[in-house]
Amino acid sequence: MRLAGVELRRIAMPLVAPFRTSFATMTTREILLVRAETGDQEGYGECVTMTDPLYSSEYTAGAADVLRSHLVPALTALPDLDPWAVAPALAAFKGHRMAKAALETAVLDAWLRTHKISMGQWLGATATQVPAGVSVGIMDSLPALLDTVDGYLAEGYRRIKLKIEPGWDVAPVRAVRERFGDDVLLQADANTAYTLADTAQLARLDPYGLLLIEQPLDEEDLRGHAELARRVRTPICLDESVVSARSAADAIAMGACSVVNIKPGRVGGYLEARRIHDVCAANGVPVWCGGMLETGLGRAANVALAALPGFTLPGDTSASGRYYRTDITEPFVLEDGHLTVPHEPGIGISPIPGQLAEVTESTEWIGR
């Protein structure tokens, strides 16, 4: 297989409601889509960067530039291309894991479609459906939060994740527990908003039986996470800190976490995501699939990944309607709290041309 060229497409997807985290409030998701052409086949990848470098050092305009200037030319120069060749061909370019992941996924999708293999089958999925969790942003009031959580539980979501920050942590967790009881699977996500000096405050979450606290400290502070894990009872989960199988192994060895959130874009793609899954499984560490407000394209690939046997906790693989009134693909819909793993070749889903055109802001072709 040879790469004939790549289309970069910028789209803007209005959210059904503002989504607030400890670092930003989002009303529209600006997304970079990567479409790889191999002559007789095409494949899609979704770049999970945000508009500004707030979640990570990567951002959408920067991802487009590194794809245009470096990553795509490195692949179009190869006389033969398959998914395993992508990472070695791009290794000389430091960082830019989200851009690399989008390009690798597009190549992988095209290759799988050519060979008539579904992504779930290729990854080693053992489930045909995966339980869906939902991420609830920081709200203006506790009544608004409780109404939102009530709605998601009524829809059938199997797990609730509350975004937290200093000043919005114990009170929302307590309110949800008191309203909905101890049987609700509940976790908190801090997105690096705390320091080790906040240990006493984070320990106040211990009585509420959380599944985990996700990424409470700075992504580079593994020692701090290890110390925090010794001081609180709630399991510590790492997100931003885990960017590779090696970093996952280091974090586990240091005692910095007992759960790992795997986001394929954050770690450079689905091949590395599967390696992280394998490392965690070998160490008895449960994993779950995180989300970055993906369209149906990114969601399809994530659902396939979440069907691997080590994904024992519900992930952020919400239904399309959680974020978008109209997706660019056929929507993912909850079925008894689960999403179905696509079984068609490749990622198993394609954009609907008219719906894609409606949200497109620009396109750019990068040929051989």
Side-chain angles (χ1 to χ4, degrees):
M1 189 173 83
R2 293 195 72 180
L3 185 62
V6 166
E7 178 192 74
L8 303 181
R9 181 183 294 259
R10 296 282 292 270
I11 66 174
M13 301 279 288
L15 300 179
V16 296
F19 186 68
R20 180 183 167 196
T21 67
S22 62
F23 59 83
T25 298
M26 195 180 311
T27 57
T28 299
R29 185 72 167 101
E30 296 184 6
I31 299 170
L32 177 65
L33 299 179
V34 175
R35 181 175 64 85
E37 286 193 9
T38 62
D40 58 350
Q41 193 54 268
E42 64 179 12
Y44 287 89
E46 181 169 338
C47 188
V48 299
T49 50
M50 294 186 174
T51 306
D52 301 308
L54 300 174
Y55 169 78
S56 79
S57 61
E58 295 186 69
Y59 61 102
T60 304
D65 181 66
V66 76
L67 282 159
R68 176 190 310 115
S69 302
H70 302 288
L71 305 186
V72 173
L75 293 194
T76 56
L78 295 179
D80 190 26
L81 179 63
D82 60 39
W84 297 272
V86 176
L90 305 182
F93 308 109
K94 304 300 183 185
H96 298 284
R97 288 182 172 88
M98 293 178 181
K100 291 177 179 178
L103 184 55
E104 181 187 85
T105 304
V107 170
L108 174 60
D109 185 29
W111 187 87
L112 290 171
R113 290 173 190 262
T114 298
H115 291 81
K116 296 180 172 53
I117 303 170
S118 75
M119 190 163 185
Q121 177 186 357
W122 182 80
L123 286 171
T126 56
T128 58
Q129 288 189 318
V130 298
V134 65
S135 182
V136 183
I138 296 167
M139 300 283 184
D140 291 332
S141 69
L142 291 178
L145 172 69
L146 294 174
D147 287 346
T148 298
V149 172
D150 188 38
Y152 289 139
L153 291 175
E155 290 180 39
Y157 282 102
R158 296 304 180 99
R159 184 269 285 152
I160 300 293
K161 180 171 83 172
L162 302 181
K163 294 288 188 178
I164 63 172
E165 65 180 2
W168 181 268
D169 41 38
V170 176
V173 169
R174 180 195 301 121
V176 170
R177 272 288 181 242
E178 290 177 349
R179 171 77 175 272
F180 301 105
D182 294 337
D183 292 337
V184 171
L185 298 180
L186 184 63
Q187 64 192 58
D189 182 8
N191 288 118
T192 76
Y194 296 83
T195 71
L196 198 57
D198 297 308
T199 297
Q201 179 67 10
L202 292 170
R204 293 180 62 198
L205 297 171
D206 286 344
Y208 299 104
L210 296 178
L211 288 173
L212 54 91
I213 303 174
E214 184 181 352
Q215 198 67 48
L217 312 181
D218 184 82
E219 60 263 35
E220 296 184 4
D221 192 6
L222 287 184
R223 291 180 62 183
H225 280 102
E227 182 61 27
L228 180 65
R230 288 189 285 269
R231 297 187 193 180
V232 301
R233 297 197 307 272
T234 306
I236 301 299
C237 171
L238 291 182
D239 173 359
E240 289 94 329
S241 295
V242 176
V243 296
S244 64
R246 176 180 294 178
S247 64
D250 288 345
I252 293 167
M254 290 178 64
C257 66
S258 54
V259 186
V260 169
N261 169 2
I262 301 179
K263 289 178 179 172
R266 191 192 67 235
V267 305
Y270 289 87
L271 278 75
E272 189 67 15
R274 186 170 60 182
R275 293 185 191 103
I276 295 172
H277 163 275
D278 294 346
V279 166
C280 291
N283 285 276
V285 172
V287 299
W288 54 280
C289 185
M292 293 290 288
L293 285 69
E294 289 92 348
T295 70
L297 295 174
R299 197 170 309 281
N302 283 353
V303 169
L305 178 70
L308 269 65
F311 286 82
T312 56
L313 298 175
D316 287 339
T317 47
S318 306
S320 297
R322 160 64 183 94
Y323 298 114
Y324 307 117
R325 287 188 177 87
T326 303
D327 208 336
I328 60 171
T329 65
E330 290 296 332
F332 280 86
V333 179
L334 280 185
E335 300 176 17
D336 190 27
H338 291 69
L339 295 185
T340 298
V341 180
H343 61 272
E344 296 297 324
I347 62 174
I349 200 165
S350 297
I352 299 171
Q355 292 170 199
L356 180 60
E358 285 183 7
V359 296
T360 294
E361 295 192 321
S362 66
T363 62
E364 175 183 358
W365 175 254
I366 306 168
R368 295 186 61 85

